[in-house]
Each structure stands twice: as C-alpha cells, then as structure tokens.
Amino acid sequence: MRGTEVDLPELFHRPEVRELAAACAEWTGRRGLHLSLDHDLRTWAGTVLAAMGPDGVNPTFDPARSRVDPGSAFHLQVRDATGEDVACGAGRLFRTGDLTALIASLGLWFDPVPPGMDAALAVPESVPVLSGRVGHVGGLWVHPRLRGSGLSFMLARLIRGAALDLFDADWDTWVAFQDVALRPGTGSAYGTATTVLCVDGFFPPRDRPERVFLSYATAAQVLGVVRETVGILRDDLYTAV
C-alpha cells in the first residue's frame, strides 16, 4: 500500500513507531514537505539515479541488481510543495542464518551475485551472530539545499523504526564506507548502534580496496532510539516559531 493512500502513522503497528511517524509527518508538514512510504524500490532507485548518477545507487536497494521479495522492502520519500523529490531512504528484510555470510559473498549487495565476487571479510569475533529477521537500512539521500536542516536526522531514525515495525526485525543493520562511517555526525544521526569494520580490502562493487563498516543494534535498542527521537522532534515542534 502506498503511503499517499493513508496517513503515515496508520501503516505501523507498534505505538512507539506510530508516534514517531506522526511526529515526522508533522515536522515535514510544517516545512512545506510531504513524507510518504512506498514498497516499490524502483521509485527509490529512480530518485537516487536522477540525483547522484549510477554510482550513487546502492545495489542492495536496486531491484535491477538485487532480487527483492514482495513485502520485504520499503522506502520513505520526501517531496516539496512542487512535487520535487528532496529526500529518500530505504529498508529491506533479510532472512538469514548469518548476515556476515551475506557480506562475505556480497549477497548483501547483489542477488544473484556476479561470478567471481567476494569480499575481504574483517568482522571481529566479538560481533554476535546476526540471524533471523534482519532489517537492513540505507540509501539515504537529501537534496543539498536541505542538508543541515534536520531532515537527514529525522529520516535516518524513521527508517530504522519503520524497518523494525514492518519487518518485525530481530536486528537492525546498515553499512557505510569509511568516509561516512567515521564522520563525527553519522552516529548521532542514526542513534544507538555498535559499529565495526566488516570489509577491509578489495571490494568488487567499487573495483578497488575499501574499508566498509557494519552497524548493528537489537530491536530493544531501536525502540530506545524511536522514543528518544519522538522527544527530540516534539521539543523542536513546540519551540518552533
């Protein structure tokens, strides 16, 4: 069901996520923006392709390069008053016995995986087995004129809550290259998670050596982020002129 057919909060089951969705819808609405949810990742891919070119389209969320089962994906879309896309982000569900095996085989990014591809896995032994229903989020893009407005903060956290709720996920995960993962503001934007190096070496999707970082959190930690974000957005709404 497309987010334009019903109010955004009505798409979710957990009261905490419904409350966050309502706060996000109000936050965007007061800025002349419209927030919606869609399960067709082709729309997400088209938005990012137009904004960033083919190199900006994460293959994990691109149906042209990764097979997506019905009901296992969504994206959030933000448009301005003219209907222009100004932000988006996506989520997927992976049912797996071990997410790190998908990282090593590059199955996290491609399905089917092109022949001869694998990654230089560097996940520490201390990382728990990320198995069962694993939510995976990413593909976040915000128009340059709205960066620094708080939109990326809001969207990053709503994506995490939405993946937890829509997929009934046991784990929440995302990956980022070193330049993004180690940026001071990245952790505060997404909220509580553990971040570790997961790939250190030649990375076939980029045809060069890369350091890729994995962030993961439990469902309880995500709910903590959801509650925290509701408070932050409500304070912002109440104090806004």
Side-chain angles (χ1 to χ4, degrees), residues 32-47:
L33 305 173
H34 177 70
L35 173 64
S36 63
L37 184 146
D38 192 335
H39 293 282
D40 188 348
L41 288 183
R42 290 175 297 181
T43 308
W44 170 87
T47 297

Side-chain angles (χ1 to χ4, degrees), residues 38-233:
D38 192 335
H39 293 282
D40 188 348
L41 288 183
R42 290 175 297 181
T43 308
W44 170 87
T47 297
V48 177
L49 178 64
M52 301 177 65
D55 289 343
V57 181
N58 184 338
T60 299
F61 306 104
D62 183 0
R65 291 183 285 178
S66 192
R67 189 163 39 212
V68 181
D69 294 331
S72 67
F74 72 93
H75 72 95
L76 294 169
Q77 199 87 3
V78 181
R79 296 183 173 90
D80 65 14
T82 70
E84 179 185 2
D85 295 315
V86 294
C88 62
R92 281 191 61 187
L93 172 66
F94 288 91
R95 298 176 178 87
T96 177
D98 184 358
L99 187 74
T100 62
L102 290 179
I103 295 172
S105 69
L106 297 181
L108 183 66
W109 290 274
F110 300 101
D111 182 14
V113 178
M117 279 196 176
D118 56 29
L121 195 66
V123 176
E125 292 184 1
S126 60
V127 173
V129 176
L130 304 174
S131 64
R133 299 175 66 85
V134 180
H136 189 71
V137 302
L140 184 65
W141 169 80
V142 175
H143 194 287
R145 66 181 168 85
L146 288 171
R147 292 172 190 170
S149 67
L151 183 56
S152 61
F153 169 90
M154 182 216 73
L155 204 56
R157 290 177 174 228
L158 180 57
I159 291 168
R160 295 184 69 188
L164 172 69
D165 184 279
L166 295 175
F167 303 146
D168 193 23
D170 303 304
W171 295 96
D172 166 63
T173 65
W174 68 91
V175 295
F177 294 107
Q178 178 171 292
D179 59 336
V180 174
L182 301 185
R183 189 181 299 162
T186 298
S188 60
Y190 278 86
T192 302
T194 300
T195 299
V196 298
L197 182 66
C198 69
V199 175
D200 190 10
F202 185 72
F203 189 62
R206 285 197 165 184
D207 197 30
R208 66 188 188 213
E210 288 283 2
R211 286 167 62 84
V212 183
F213 288 77
L214 167 69
S215 295
Y216 63 91
T218 64
Q221 287 175 314
V222 177
L223 279 179
V225 171
V226 166
R227 295 187 187 103
E228 174 192 58
T229 309
V230 169
I232 293 171
L233 293 179

